[in-house]
Amino acid sequence: MAFSILFATPASKKDPDGTCSEISTGALEALLADTTFLAAISWAGIAHAGCFMYNPPGRPQPHPTIYKDCFDVIRDMVGHDKTHAPTLFSRKPDLGFKLPYSWKSRSCLLRLDMHSDDDEDSVPFFKIAVEAGVVNAACVAHPPHLGGTLPVGPKQVMNVSIYGLEPIRRSRYPINVASLLHDVA
């Protein structure tokens, strides 16, 4: 992975290649909140993260999102006890973690999916969160704030994508007034 060096730890028996797998979820949260880290990861990530752009006029437009909302989604994704354990991902029924799968928070949607129905890959949620952080820093923290996508995992057959959600349209009335009207016969 191109961005592992930013999270590198010294090689150990538990982690012989010196990758980021020993960093705690709290450390990841601190890194994603650090503006110096964001500057480094953003410029490195631009070359690898496919940031979404606005479509030509007359075509449906993607919705912008907010860095903090996407940060919350990434934090929620790794908020369990299996964060560092390799997990098998697949679209196949009854085989590992079933994809596609999405998490959302306010204006942000994070989606994991495989390239095809036959693909499968094994990767810890933590490493997916690191790559999602790259997309967030490269494609959400900078204009036009539309999100992006990045391949993840050893086989690079799975994508982590961040999308902006359509804002909720607020009515002048807090409830559906039509539902309160009854025909009186």
Side-chain angles (χ1 to χ4, degrees), residues 126-175:
F126 180 82
K127 289 189 179 187
I128 295 170
V130 169
E131 299 300 337
V134 169
V135 175
N136 197 22
C139 304
V140 176
H142 300 287
H145 314 289
L146 299 176
T149 190
L150 187 67
V152 296
K155 297 179 184 176
Q156 300 285 291
V157 294
M158 182 169 55
N159 278 353
V160 59
S161 303
I162 292 179
Y163 301 94
L165 294 173
E166 184 174 5
I168 297 172
R169 297 202 172 129
R170 303 275 182 208
S171 170
R172 285 185 4 180
Y173 305 101
I175 57 175

Side-chain angles (χ1 to χ4, degrees), residues 52 54 62-71 73 105-110 135-136 139-142 144-148 162-166:
F52 302 137
Y54 283 109
H63 299 284
T65 187
I66 299 168
Y67 180 86
K68 170 82 170 81
D69 293 350
C70 295
F71 173 81
V73 170
S105 175
R106 296 175 298 281
S107 73
C108 185
L109 176 84
L110 186 146
V135 175
N136 197 22
C139 304
V140 176
H142 300 287
H145 314 289
L146 299 176
I162 292 179
Y163 301 94
L165 294 173
E166 184 174 5

Side-chain angles (χ1 to χ4, degrees), residues 12 20 22 31 59 65 67 90 96 105 107 121 134 156 174:
S12 67
C20 59
E22 291 184 21
L31 282 172
R59 297 194 55 209
T65 187
Y67 180 86
S90 173
S105 175
S107 73
D121 205 351
V134 169
Q156 300 285 291

